[in-house]
Amino acid sequence: MTTTGEEHRAAGGPWWWERRRSAVLDGGLALGSALECAVEGVGFAEGAGLPVGIGVLLGVVAGSVLVVRRRWPVAVVLVAIAITPAEMGFLLATVGLYTLAASQVPRRIIGVTTGMSLAATLIVTLMRTHQGVGDIAGSRIDVWFLPLMSVLASVAMTAPPVLLGLYVGARRRLMESLRDRADSLETELQLLAERAEERADWARGEERTRIAREMHDVVAHRVSLMVVHAAAVQAVALKDPQKAVKNAALVGDMGRQALTELREMLGVLRAGEALGTSVRGAVPLAAVGVAAAAAATRAGAGAAEDGPSLAELEELLGQSRAAGMKVELSVQGEARDYAPEVEQTAYRVVQEALTNVHKHAAGAGATVRLAHREGEVAMQVENGAPPAGGGGAAMLPSGGNGLVGMRERVLALGGVFVSGETEAGGFRVSAVLPAQPGVPSNAGQA
């Protein structure tokens, strides 16, 4: 990026100079101007009848004023105008006018001082030219030649430094403006980069949450059924060997399916690390999200391309029935097609609710109610109180994320979610989803 004004100031110099080389330059110009004025002061002192030392001293003092040209450019030009009648300070006047025109002084002050300098130079030039050629030129030349020569000479000494100073000042202000814009743009880019990083962190957090929710839906349901079937095998192994073998086969199938799905998800993570992506964790997370969604889709045998749907609800209930749970399904209204995310969320709510029944109310029956309404679909899973002594038979652990995940899914689509214990000692999970995601549901409860 460009060097900022702060960095220029940070370089530092003595007193009012921003850089040391500026101080050296002004000191050199002041020294040259003092020597010039000192030499010219000798002629001025002889012409005015003053001691030579006074003329030299006056020239040194006047010429040295150039050292403050950056701080007080108007004062330098006024000094140059004041010593113009003494025919001193050509370098002082030239550099002073240039500095004044290039400075931040208002244009009206530049115009007034330039006009004063031009008038003083014109008067002195006219007088000296008249004295030099008065005895040679005729009367016809005196009418137009001397004023013309004086005007041209004074303009030639005044206009070039002023015009050059105006150009340099305009260019300097343009560069400062561009530098300020560059600094502002750099600041804006930094803010945008910080905001982009914040959005990326937020997106990664959201992706992690989604992956955790998908993996929970995929794995928790299968593992819960595996534990239930394993408990059933243990209970009937001696009484009914054929049923025990059947349950053991179901456990093996579910275990293999769960391992396959987990292996696919972890494989995507390893592949993302091998790619060495520039944004660490962004691509693997997204890829695992896709794999988790695909694995969740295959949780039912006939999963659709966009994920599980309400059409697979009967198969989901069949898995719980195979594990020994008594599940009833009640459907109200005429079935219709909903958005894929609505159908998948409805399926997940029922799936997770049944998983919670297996975990916390083993042996209890459950009722699943599905209602197709105008512009929305409602579902409710209610289980009775677990039988005495059978509630913890399966010994299923719980992470406490099931209800949280269901609520997040439903609320993300603009739905309503309610859960709680029933008066009979059971538990009820109710959800209402709009037919179009993002459109708030009109129902207060399922």
Side-chain angles (χ1 to χ4, degrees):
M1 299 300 293
T2 58
T3 305
T4 63
E6 293 296 333
E7 291 173 345
H8 278 291
R9 286 186 287 274
W15 298 335
W16 56 84
W17 288 283
E18 295 180 355
R19 291 171 290 183
R20 295 184 182 276
R21 65 179 183 180
S22 300
V24 173
L25 176 62
D26 289 354
L29 290 174
L31 179 61
S33 177
L35 292 176
E36 177 202 354
C37 292
V39 173
E40 294 170 344
V42 175
F44 168 70
E46 293 177 352
L50 298 173
V52 175
I54 294 177
V56 172
L57 179 62
L58 176 62
V60 171
V61 173
S64 300
V65 175
L66 200 59
V67 76
V68 297
R69 69 184 184 96
R70 298 178 191 267
R71 186 67 178 269
W72 297 294
V74 177
V76 173
V77 175
L78 292 178
V79 171
I81 295 172
I83 64 175
T84 299
E87 299 183 22
M88 292 191 301
F90 174 77
L91 179 61
L92 177 66
T94 302
V95 177
L97 288 173
Y98 163 80
T99 304
L100 178 64
S103 66
Q104 301 289 340
V105 175
R107 292 297 178 88
R108 62 178 181 276
I109 297 179
I110 296 176
V112 170
T113 52
T114 301
M116 293 171 60
S117 178
L118 178 62
T121 304
L122 176 61
I123 294 173
V124 172
T125 303
L126 181 61
M127 292 177 59
R128 292 306 180 188
T129 304
H130 185 274
Q131 292 176 2
V133 300
D135 297 334
I136 301 174
S139 59
R140 190 171 67 88
I141 296 177
D142 293 339
V143 176
W144 59 271
F145 180 75
L146 293 180
L148 178 61
M149 294 298 296
S150 300
V151 170
L152 292 177
S154 59
V155 170
M157 288 187 294
T158 305
V162 173
L163 295 178
L164 180 61
L166 291 174
Y167 167 75
V168 172
R171 184 175 180 274
R172 182 183 301 160
R173 286 187 287 273
L174 176 61
M175 294 301 295
E176 290 178 355
S177 175
L178 293 177
R179 187 182 297 118
D180 292 339
R181 291 182 183 180
D183 294 342
S184 177
L185 179 60
E186 185 176 6
T187 302
E188 291 178 3
L189 289 177
Q190 290 177 353
L191 292 176
L192 290 176
E194 292 175 359
R195 292 177 183 176
E197 186 176 356
E198 292 176 358
R199 288 195 296 269
D201 292 339
W202 176 84
R204 284 193 289 268
E206 290 293 315
E207 191 68 15
R208 289 190 184 98
T209 302
R210 188 177 71 86
I211 292 170
R213 189 163 53 236
E214 293 289 348
M215 293 184 70
H216 179 274
D217 291 339
V218 172
V219 178
H221 183 69
R222 292 194 184 281
V223 174
S224 299
L225 293 179
M226 288 171 60
V227 175
V228 171
H229 282 294
V233 170
Q234 183 180 6
V236 302
L238 298 178
K239 299 179 182 179
D240 192 347
Q242 292 183 353
K243 186 175 182 180
V245 170
K246 182 179 178 181
N247 287 338
L250 289 174
V251 171
D253 291 339
M254 292 181 181
R256 281 188 290 272
Q257 292 174 359
L259 285 175
T260 300
E261 293 159 358
L262 283 175
R263 191 177 294 112
E264 290 177 357
M265 297 177 192
L266 297 177
V268 172
L269 272 178
R270 295 191 185 97
E273 293 174 357
L275 288 176
T277 53
S278 58
V279 183
R280 190 172 185 181
V283 172
L285 280 177
V288 171
V290 174
T297 298
R298 293 190 296 274
E305 183 179 356
D306 294 324
S309 62
L310 293 175
E312 304 164 33
L313 202 58
E314 188 62 40
E315 183 178 358
L316 176 65
L317 302 184
Q319 295 176 359
S320 293
R321 294 189 184 106
M325 180 189 296
K326 295 181 180 180
V327 185
E328 297 180 358
L329 176 62
S330 173
V331 180
Q332 298 178 1
E334 184 177 355
R336 56 177 64 92
D337 293 332
Y338 300 100
E341 52 267 36
V342 173
E343 297 230 3
Q344 183 178 0
T345 299
Y347 180 94
R348 294 302 185 200
V349 169
V350 176
Q351 181 189 54
E352 182 59 32
L354 292 177
T355 301
N356 287 342
V357 177
H358 285 293
K359 288 181 178 179
H360 306 293
T367 301
V368 179
R369 299 182 180 89
L370 183 66
H372 301 281
R373 301 172 182 170
E374 185 68 24
E376 64 185 18
V377 58
M379 68 237 44
Q380 183 183 87
V381 179
E382 181 178 353
N383 63 274
M395 301 293 291
L396 288 169
S398 175
N401 296 317
L403 293 176
V404 175
M406 284 189 281
R407 180 181 297 276
E408 289 177 351
R409 284 181 178 274
V410 173
L411 296 182
L413 297 181
V416 179
F417 180 83
V418 179
S419 64
E421 297 182 358
T422 63
E423 296 180 355
F427 199 84
R428 180 188 298 119
V429 173
S430 303
V432 180
L433 295 172
Q436 296 298 325
V439 179
S441 174
N442 295 325
Q445 61 183 11

